[in-house]
Amino acid sequence: MLARLGKRQGGPLRAMPRRKACGVGLSLHGLLWLALLSPARAEPLAIHYLERRVERPTPLNNEDPIPDDEGLKGAELGLKDSNATGRFVSLDFTLDSRVVAAGEDIRAAFRALGERPRFVVLNAPAEDVLALADMPEAKGTVFLNVGAPDSRLREADCRPRLLHVLPSRAMLADALVQFLAYKRWTRILLLSGPAPADALYAEAVKKSAKKFGARIVAESRYDPQGGDTRDTALREFVLPTRGPEHDVVAVADEAGAFGANLVYNTAAARPVVGTQGLTPVAWGRPVEAWAAVQLQTRFRRLAGRAMRPIDYAGWMAVHALGEAAVQARSTDPDTVARLVLSPRFEVGGFKGRPLSFRAWDGQLRQPVFLLWPGAVTATAPIEGFQHHRTELDTLGPDEPESACRAFRKPG
């Protein structure tokens, strides 16, 4: 009788909801047999989210401010999605989130997570990432970086068990310059802001130009110096964007201090690309292909706003851990860690192809979108850029050129 009931319900008895089992008149004896046949639920996989609160720049032009919960809401959606999938194989996941203020010790916050935190989604600047990864107490912890794009964390300053879900500046710049090379817009006038992050972005663009055969024809620096760029843009941007013949103006202004007002205010009629204008990003509001609209809708329902790149990275980090547990049919931390760190691990991410972590630096291979505020213009890797392993490895340093020596995945 039990076998016939299971067949009638279209699956094994352990998948039958309790309400339906009672509805067909099972006796107490039958219910006890159901409990015995169902696998015991394992301990939930504990995931931690740790964030350093940083100063948010004041947006120009009445734009929406960067939300305080950027990253955290993505991780929360990742938890919700992982539990929705995990229930089919009797797996559960938990998420403990902690936000550290600007002057607080993030290492103390890590110690407060418990005796042996195994998986920490980390939304913090590069200095905090390294400070945590170098703690003796973190020897067995797998960190998933969702907030620091610094290329050095994937190269000379890489660390064992430090995975990078957010694309590096090198990957973003490679995506941008691939597009420019495809369009044959290879003469670049580079304009950067005064912030240290702007210099890092500009350096990434210069390396990518050399890598893909483009050329920096002129380079200049712009400092708003406390003035309101919106009032002076028509005049102020003429001089710093004047130079040799060029195809595009590439801007490095990560804080958004002036870049938005550079568009249509260059000395020559040229497209603006980089941190403003046509921008390489991991995710953005216009992304809809490959069923991405489903993820966008779920996130908007949860957060009440559009999904931003760090939100996507937060979602992807938790989703990857959940997918590893489902593939392994286990929430045992050691089992999940081995699979996530294994070269054979792949995970979907609404980007049209399987994603995986590179064995030599821990970076998540992934396509990068070229967006302007209204649409997706292209998706990198751009057609024609080939690689013997996967075209995704044309974005960022390839294994032979990588300066990372500390990160090597077990086979």
Side-chain angles (χ1 to χ4, degrees), residues 19-354:
R19 178 175 55 82
K20 290 187 177 181
C22 294
V24 295
L26 285 180
S27 65
L28 178 60
H29 180 72
L31 291 174
L32 290 174
W33 268 106
L34 277 176
L36 290 173
L37 290 172
S38 300
R41 297 193 78 86
E43 284 291 319
L45 183 70
I47 304 170
H48 300 274
Y49 174 91
L50 184 56
E51 176 182 343
R52 163 77 75 187
R53 180 62 51 82
V54 297
E55 183 180 353
R56 309 286 187 177
T58 302
L60 293 174
N61 307 314
N62 203 31
E63 298 170 358
D64 291 334
I66 298 175
D68 288 337
D69 56 6
E70 184 185 23
L72 176 57
K73 284 301 179 184
E76 289 177 354
L77 182 62
L79 177 73
K80 188 174 180 180
D81 289 352
S82 295
N83 276 320
T85 304
R87 73 171 183 264
F88 293 108
V89 287
S90 301
L91 300 180
D92 296 304
F93 307 90
T94 63
L95 181 69
D96 170 49
S97 60
R98 295 169 187 256
V99 178
V100 177
E104 294 181 11
D105 185 357
I106 198 168
R107 291 170 296 184
F110 175 82
R111 294 186 185 100
L113 297 179
E115 184 177 348
R116 196 186 179 203
R118 294 304 307 276
F119 303 103
V120 177
V121 178
L122 187 55
N123 183 4
E127 293 74 14
D128 286 332
V129 173
L130 292 175
L132 292 173
D134 289 340
M135 291 178 63
E137 303 95 316
K139 186 176 181 180
T141 301
V142 176
F143 289 102
L144 296 99
N145 167 33
V146 303
D150 303 66
S151 298
R152 67 187 179 101
L153 293 178
R154 289 84 166 163
E155 298 185 54
D157 286 336
C158 68
R159 296 293 188 272
R161 293 178 173 262
L162 174 57
L163 301 175
H164 306 282
V165 186
L166 192 73
S168 66
R169 288 189 183 94
M171 290 177 66
L172 299 178
D174 281 356
L176 176 62
V177 179
Q178 277 192 11
F179 175 80
L180 298 181
Y182 178 84
K183 299 288 285 187
R184 298 185 180 178
W185 298 345
T186 55
R187 297 172 299 179
I188 302 170
L189 189 152
L190 180 59
L191 177 63
S192 57
D198 299 339
L200 294 175
Y201 194 98
E203 184 62 27
V205 172
K206 288 189 282 187
K207 288 183 178 179
S208 295
K210 185 177 181 180
K211 178 177 179 180
F212 294 112
R215 186 163 55 96
I216 307 296
V217 298
E219 186 176 356
S220 58
R221 188 170 178 270
Y222 178 78
D223 190 346
Q225 295 187 354
D228 193 331
T229 308
R230 294 168 293 184
D231 296 335
T232 59
L234 187 63
R235 301 181 304 275
E236 282 205 33
F237 290 128
V238 173
L239 185 59
T241 59
R242 183 179 291 155
E245 188 61 31
H246 53 279
D247 300 305
V248 298
V249 175
V251 57
D253 173 29
E254 289 199 351
F258 65 91
N261 293 102
L262 182 64
V263 180
Y264 296 111
N265 279 313
T266 54
R270 297 293 182 267
V272 173
V273 301
T275 53
Q276 284 79 30
L278 184 70
T279 306
V281 292
W283 197 259
R285 182 191 53 78
V287 178
E288 293 184 332
W290 304 297
V293 67
Q294 299 176 15
L295 181 63
Q296 301 275 30
T297 300
R298 292 202 307 275
F299 183 83
R300 187 173 289 277
R301 190 179 298 126
L302 174 72
R305 58 176 177 81
M307 189 179 225
R308 298 170 60 90
I310 293 180
D311 292 314
Y312 176 81
W315 172 82
M316 188 71 220
V318 177
H319 168 63
L321 294 174
E323 179 63 21
V326 169
Q327 290 181 22
R329 295 294 193 271
S330 172
T331 53
D332 172 64
D334 291 332
T335 301
V336 174
R338 279 194 300 271
L339 182 54
V340 168
L341 294 168
S342 167
R344 69 177 185 275
F345 176 66
E346 292 186 336
V347 59
F350 294 96
K351 289 195 171 185
R353 62 181 77 189

